[in-house]
Amino acid sequence: MEKSSGKKNTAVLISGRGSNLKSLIKYSTTKKSLIRIVLVISDNFGAKGLIYANKSKINNIVIRYSNRKSFEDRLLKVLNKNNVDLICLAGFMKILSGKFIKKFNKTILNIHPSLLPKYKGLNTHNRAIQNKDKYSGATVHIVNDKLDSGKIILQKKVKILKSDSGKSLEKKVLKIEHKIYPKAVIKLLASD
Ligand code: GRF
């Protein structure tokens, strides 16, 4: 695999809509980008995000998830073959094992729709509203072997209004996600 101008070869893992993938693709096509997206991988044939990968002519594959071991073995092979230096999880709905994280041995980033350490896991927006929180937000963090618990790279908050529903909050947070994911990548790599 060809490497150029010190950009990190990056794989983006998705399971669905792919709006964060889209924002990472947009960033990766800027002149000063520190990454080059060499691969998009999905565990779901129907992931809409694959359309963005195809439109941008980015190599993409689907790895069927029949069990974790076979999925991760295949994933690791593909990542190594493509000289991937950085993984960005972007709405990837499977949990990667500690074993895999150790074997990959390079940085894995994730974006999460809450102000971690609050609301790990799913249904973050409704939980924030139910608890009458004043703020929610998004977090980019390093992936370790505990769910949504790795070192925080970047976080940005947004006000929760009385009128907000889970859906409207999701929309607001998603806008923030699209801004902070590329910024977090820059923050992580600029210090390399
Ligand atoms: C985002 O809210 C992200 O924070 C979470 O899953 C959602 C994925 O959205 N991990 P998209 O597929 O990037 O549009």
Side-chain angles (χ1 to χ4, degrees):
M1 190 87 229
E2 169 202 1
K3 279 198 181 186
S4 79
S5 62
K7 290 184 200 272
K8 292 268 187 204
N9 282 345
T10 300
V12 183
L13 270 59
I14 61 167
S15 296
R17 180 176 53 191
S19 68
N20 279 291
L21 165 66
K22 195 176 170 189
S23 101
L24 287 171
I25 292 176
K26 194 171 165 208
Y27 163 65
S28 74
T29 58
T30 60
K31 243 190 182 167
K32 287 188 175 167
S33 165
L34 299 175
I35 60 166
R36 152 215 285 229
I37 301 175
V38 291
L39 196 56
V40 171
I41 301 169
S42 172
D43 61 323
N44 168 19
F45 283 92
K48 282 203 178 134
L50 292 170
I51 298 171
Y52 298 128
N54 283 327
K55 268 193 185 158
S56 307
K57 299 192 168 44
I58 297 171
N59 187 12
N60 58 88
I61 60 161
V62 176
I63 303 178
R64 190 192 292 276
Y65 196 100
S66 44
N67 63 70
R68 191 194 257 179
K69 167 103 177 54
S70 68
F71 179 85
E72 290 185 344
D73 285 351
R74 181 86 207 289
L75 179 60
L76 201 61
K77 263 192 200 149
V78 174
L79 295 168
N80 287 336
K81 200 173 150 206
N82 287 272
N83 292 313
V84 169
D85 305 308
L86 172 71
I87 296 177
C88 291
L89 305 182
F92 179 67
M93 298 307 286
K94 298 288 190 300
I95 294 171
L96 295 168
S97 70
K99 247 188 191 167
F100 171 85
I101 294 166
K102 214 170 174 184
K103 273 192 197 156
F104 178 62
N105 199 26
K106 290 171 191 160
T107 307
I108 306 175
L109 286 179
N110 181 42
I111 186 147
H112 185 77
S114 78
L115 294 173
L116 288 172
K118 266 193 155 179
Y119 311 127
K120 296 170 183 171
L122 299 174
N123 199 23
T124 55
H125 306 300
N126 287 327
R127 284 153 77 199
I129 287 176
Q130 267 158 25
N131 284 340
K132 300 198 180 349
D133 289 357
K134 289 205 166 82
Y135 292 93
S136 184
T139 306
V140 177
H141 66 94
I142 290 183
V143 173
N144 66 12
D145 59 356
K146 289 200 189 80
L147 183 69
D148 299 328
S149 298
K151 182 181 170 198
I152 291 172
I153 303 296
L154 201 63
Q155 200 163 53
K156 193 169 161 64
K157 56 184 186 177
V158 64
K159 228 180 179 157
I160 302 179
L161 304 177
K162 284 221 169 83
S163 55
D164 268 325
S165 62
K167 272 269 165 258
S168 68
L169 184 58
E170 183 191 344
K171 251 189 179 173
K172 280 200 278 193
V173 171
L174 198 60
K175 260 193 185 167
I176 286 181
E177 291 184 36
H178 299 157
K179 286 192 184 137
I180 69 164
Y181 214 164
K183 280 190 182 158
V185 167
I186 294 168
K187 190 171 172 195
L188 176 84
L189 297 179
S191 60
D192 254 20

